[in-house]
Amino acid sequence: MSARSSAARLPHGPGVYRFRDRRGQVLYLGRATDLRSRVQSYWGDLRDRLHLTRMVARIARVEAVACDSVHEAAWLERNLLEAGLPPWNRTQGVETSIYIVVDPRPRTAGVRTSHGARFDGVVGFGPYLGGTRARQAISGLHRAFPLSYTRERLTGAERDIAARRGIGPQSRERLAAAVIAALDGTDAGAVREELTAARDRAAAALNFELAARIQEELAAFAWVTSVQRVTVEGGGDQDVCGWADGLAVTFAIRGGRLIGWDQRACGRSAVARAGTPPPEWAEFARRNAELAAALIRG
């Protein structure tokens, strides 16, 4: 099967893809919101990517990893490019790695970004890719659960808003818990409901600029709360293996980051000796082994 025809077997979902030449050298690595559409586009009108024409002529094989979110695909691409830059990739990416901090302390209560992973006296989440998205998500969290209005010292305008919303120091623990539950996935639906209602009210009042801004906050909140397992703060080292149709796919995780994957033909027994993947990786490994087998064997 040609590389072009094998691209039709890719899923319509987010992930990372790479191209190899006939010698097995990796030519290029990228990420996509829709793997099939993106990879097939290389054999269509390249438009502003004409510099890739010579590379496309050399593609002998397509490999891919299907991810559970666009955010996960973005992190996986970042990790893989940092581990090694293929010849046709120009950069390693420019998105900022950032954390979100929930501060429940009386003097400094609120939600903010942090570029470091030290969380003394506060609750930290992340890392996330994209400083703009993180700040938009924080704006949405503040709109839904304005923890910062429970601080000991507020401006006059902040006191007025807090009073109109019935918020005071007595609300601090409740709002902090709501924000933490939203970010850890325990109750992300509460933020979505609050923001959706606020967006719809703005649109009904013909305030379309505000409605658009709240929609951006909704999208950013979805980004930071989406499934993302390939970069985990404080994670360890392990090799995770999946097998399908005589093909093993092994994912190398180092320091909590998935930094590489390879595939080889082997029997199921060889994979079994490597051990069962951890529960959080089992479905990911199985699905991507099946995808690898489909791309190779057609």
Side-chain angles (χ1 to χ4, degrees), residues 4 6 33 68 83 101 115 157 181-183 192 202 231 238 241-243 245 256 262 266 274:
R4 182 175 185 175
S6 70
T33 300
D68 285 309
V101 170
H115 290 284
L183 289 171
R192 288 194 294 267
T231 301
Q238 60 182 320
C241 189
W243 184 92
D245 195 20
D262 59 46
C266 73

Side-chain angles (χ1 to χ4, degrees), residues 18-19 26-29 80-81 84-90:
R18 66 187 177 195
F19 300 136
V26 176
L27 299 170
Y28 183 83
L29 184 140
L80 294 170
L81 290 177
L85 197 67
W88 288 87
N89 284 91
R90 291 179 169 179

Side-chain angles (χ1 to χ4, degrees), residues 278-295:
E280 66 272 22
W281 286 101
E283 193 277 334
F284 181 93
R286 178 199 57 77
R287 180 181 72 223
N288 279 296
E290 291 176 351
L291 174 58
L295 291 175

Side-chain angles (χ1 to χ4, degrees), residues 43-55:
W43 285 275
D45 184 358
L46 289 173
R47 298 182 184 179
D48 60 341
R49 297 180 291 161
L50 289 175
H51 64 285
L52 297 175
T53 302
R54 288 189 295 117
M55 181 202 72

Side-chain angles (χ1 to χ4, degrees), residues 243 246-248 264-272:
W243 184 92
L247 191 73
R264 61 187 175 89
C266 73
R268 183 187 289 272
S269 59
V271 176

Side-chain angles (χ1 to χ4, degrees), residues 98-122:
I98 203 163
Y99 299 83
I100 293 178
V101 170
V102 182
D103 187 345
R105 296 172 296 187
R107 295 186 61 184
T108 54
V111 187
R112 58 182 180 270
T113 60
S114 172
H115 290 284
R118 295 186 61 182
F119 307 124
D120 297 336
V122 299

